Amino acid sequence: MLRRVLDASLGHPEAAASWGADTARLVAAEAISRAVSADERAAWGGLLVRAHESLADKAEGDELAAAHLTAAARAAVRAARPSEAGAGSGAGDASLEETAIRLLKRALQRVPGHPYAIALLEELHRRRGEAGAVVQILRELAASDPTG
């Protein structure tokens, strides 16, 4: 019930702009830590993704927005692999992993070279066997490094 109310608050502009996103983020994080089943962790993880994405959308600076987008991506990875909490290899929910990649790319648009976004994006591509994408990320990072 509480998850549905918080989920609905993220779709309501006034609630999302004031209390909805922060409340959803805090409650979801707490619920995930207490969840017994993988399905329950995944459901709360989805709410956490939406909450962080909402907070990123209303963030006043690029650094804060990128941090929330990266946190949303990490929550998506954990929701995709609830029994592993985002670690290791194996099958996961491909749509949630795609969501994580999309969020990380948005974070990197806001803050090119964001170290946590790059690390998680690289991890996701490695896990998926996408060596070419990993090489491209590392090349782009090296090319954008002003220290050479």
Side-chain angles (χ1 to χ4, degrees), residues 2 12-13 26-27 51 69-70 72 74 99 105 108 110 117 122 129 135 140:
L2 178 60
H12 189 276
L26 295 171
V27 171
L69 289 167
T70 303
R74 174 49 88 190
T99 296
K105 288 179 178 180
L108 291 169
R110 298 292 294 261
E122 180 183 349
V135 170
E140 289 172 4

Side-chain angles (χ1 to χ4, degrees), residues 72-136:
R74 174 49 88 190
V77 169
R78 289 180 174 156
R81 302 167 183 274
S83 64
E84 303 173 19
S89 61
D93 184 326
S95 66
L96 285 169
E97 287 186 355
E98 288 298 324
T99 296
I101 289 170
R102 177 184 56 79
L103 291 165
L104 292 167
K105 288 179 178 180
R106 280 186 59 200
L108 291 169
Q109 287 174 342
R110 298 292 294 261
V111 179
H114 189 281
Y116 298 115
I118 288 171
L120 184 52
L121 188 57
E122 180 183 349
E123 176 187 331
L124 280 168
H125 284 304
R126 280 186 200 280
R127 187 181 303 165
R128 294 161 55 114
E130 299 168 348
V134 173
V135 170
Q136 174 143 359

Side-chain angles (χ1 to χ4, degrees), residues 28-100:
E30 176 67 19
I32 290 167
S33 71
R34 295 176 187 253
V36 176
S37 72
D39 288 342
E40 188 179 2
R41 283 191 299 278
W44 282 106
L47 178 62
L48 190 56
V49 170
R50 290 192 62 219
H52 274 294
E53 194 168 12
S54 179
L55 289 166
D57 289 343
K58 72 178 190 174
E60 294 194 17
D62 287 338
E63 289 287 338
L64 182 58
H68 278 297
L69 289 167
T70 303
R74 174 49 88 190
V77 169
R78 289 180 174 156
R81 302 167 183 274
S83 64
E84 303 173 19
S89 61
D93 184 326
S95 66
L96 285 169
E97 287 186 355
E98 288 298 324
T99 296

